[in-house]
Amino acid sequence: MIEIVSMKKYSLVNTEELLKTLQSLSTPKAKEALSHFKVTTKIAYGIPTPALKKLAKEIGKNHQFAQELWKTEVFEARAIAVLIEQPEKVTAKQMELWLKDFDSWAIVDTCCCYLFRLMPNAYEKAMEWTLREKEFEKRTGFSLMAYLAVHDKKESDEKFEQFLPLIIREAIDERNFVKKAINWALRQIGKRNKRMNTIAIKVANELLQTPSRSARWIATDALKELHSEAIQKRIKSK
């Protein structure tokens, strides 16, 4: 059992103690939110996100402890594992192992936002994972694209243009959490600047012409935002 020293409320934290703490932080409202937002996961206590982030901050970065927390299969413990993980110590093997454990869109997006996008192989993995058959593994590829588009502001347009053929190819996937992530990736890519907005709109218009109901939904929803006054005003100022 790993013990870590906290600078604040918890003088000594180990996996068992942390799980007890997480259970004590459970709220009916947070539990209802899990159901409402279709977070389908094996074990979840229902804890507000701010409380998880506060705990993670108190624990601090700790690669070994993150490994232990991930093994618990508890949604909130895994979320903390993501937050305290040290990107420089994460291997490609670990990324694959965690990927195969994903059982909800929430842990997918948490991992992409706070960890996977920071990895040096993030662009490579984003493209690779869109080839996967399992719903949450495929979603990870497109969720990662979306987060890279939002946060990697200095990257070249070409890096994101390579994602577009994958978006077109997989837009026929009817599964809810896949098509929503594809739509999200297309919208975020199209909001980077005027040039990428024009290219993303072109892609969306191409998808509108396909017989796929999923592709047409992705395109219609994306075009609403990409053509919106707010987005057009924002990208013109860049």
Side-chain angles (χ1 to χ4, degrees):
M1 188 70 67
I2 294 174
E3 296 180 351
I4 61 175
V5 177
S6 168
M7 298 300 291
K8 296 184 180 179
K9 184 178 179 182
Y10 305 97
S11 60
L12 188 65
V13 177
N14 60 39
T15 302
E16 183 178 352
E17 289 174 352
L18 183 59
L19 290 178
K20 289 179 181 178
T21 299
L22 289 175
Q23 287 178 306
S24 74
L25 294 171
S26 174
T27 69
K29 185 176 181 180
K31 282 185 178 180
E32 290 174 10
L34 290 173
S35 177
H36 177 75
F37 291 109
K38 302 187 186 303
V39 179
T40 54
T41 189
K42 294 178 182 178
I43 312 170
Y45 299 148
I47 302 169
T49 299
L52 293 178
K53 289 185 175 180
K54 182 180 179 182
L55 273 174
K57 186 175 181 181
E58 291 180 0
I59 293 168
K61 296 296 183 179
N62 189 312
H63 173 67
Q64 192 175 357
F65 194 46
Q67 303 300 299
E68 282 206 8
L69 293 180
W70 190 266
K71 291 176 183 177
T72 67
E73 299 188 359
V74 175
F75 170 69
E76 290 85 0
R78 284 183 165 178
I80 290 177
V82 172
L83 293 171
I84 68 171
E85 182 57 279
Q86 297 171 266
E88 68 275 12
K89 293 186 178 181
V90 176
T91 64
K93 181 179 179 180
Q94 179 183 330
M95 293 173 74
E96 288 292 336
L97 289 173
W98 283 24
L99 176 80
K100 294 185 184 303
D101 285 337
F102 289 163
D103 57 3
S104 75
W105 66 265
I107 197 64
V108 168
D109 294 358
T110 299
C111 207
C112 288
C113 179
Y114 295 103
L115 182 61
F116 284 175
R117 71 175 179 84
L118 303 174
M119 303 302 297
N121 61 350
Y123 286 84
E124 174 190 339
K125 285 299 181 181
M127 293 187 290
E128 177 186 336
W129 289 336
T130 64
L131 295 168
R132 301 297 172 87
E133 288 301 319
K134 292 184 178 180
E135 184 173 14
F136 293 121
E137 291 185 23
K138 189 180 289 287
R139 180 187 173 89
T140 304
F142 292 107
S143 175
L144 188 49
M145 289 180 185
Y147 279 115
L148 288 169
V150 171
H151 294 283
D152 206 352
K153 299 184 184 301
K154 295 183 179 181
E155 191 52 83
S156 67
D157 287 352
E158 289 71 24
K159 276 280 193 178
F160 296 94
E161 286 184 74
Q162 66 183 335
F163 292 157
L164 297 175
L166 306 176
I167 287 174
I168 294 170
R169 184 193 67 202
E170 298 300 330
I172 61 173
D173 197 314
E174 296 284 345
R175 291 175 294 181
N176 190 47
F177 294 120
V178 175
K179 70 180 183 181
K180 284 188 173 182
I182 295 171
N183 166 268
W184 180 25
L186 180 59
R187 287 186 289 111
Q188 296 305 328
I189 290 170
K191 291 190 290 184
R192 284 182 61 80
N193 55 51
K194 181 62 178 175
R195 179 173 178 273
M196 292 309 298
N197 181 261
T198 300
I199 292 173
I201 287 173
K202 182 180 178 181
V203 167
N205 283 323
E206 288 180 14
L207 294 177
L208 277 179
Q209 307 307 312
T210 69
S212 167
R213 182 176 59 181
S214 176
R216 293 196 303 272
W217 176 83
I218 289 168
T220 301
D221 188 76
L223 286 169
K224 289 179 184 177
E225 185 170 19
L226 296 176
H227 277 306
S228 70
E229 182 178 349
I231 296 303
Q232 291 300 315
K233 182 178 179 180
R234 194 183 81 185
I235 60 177
K236 283 179 181 178
S237 66
K238 290 186 175 181

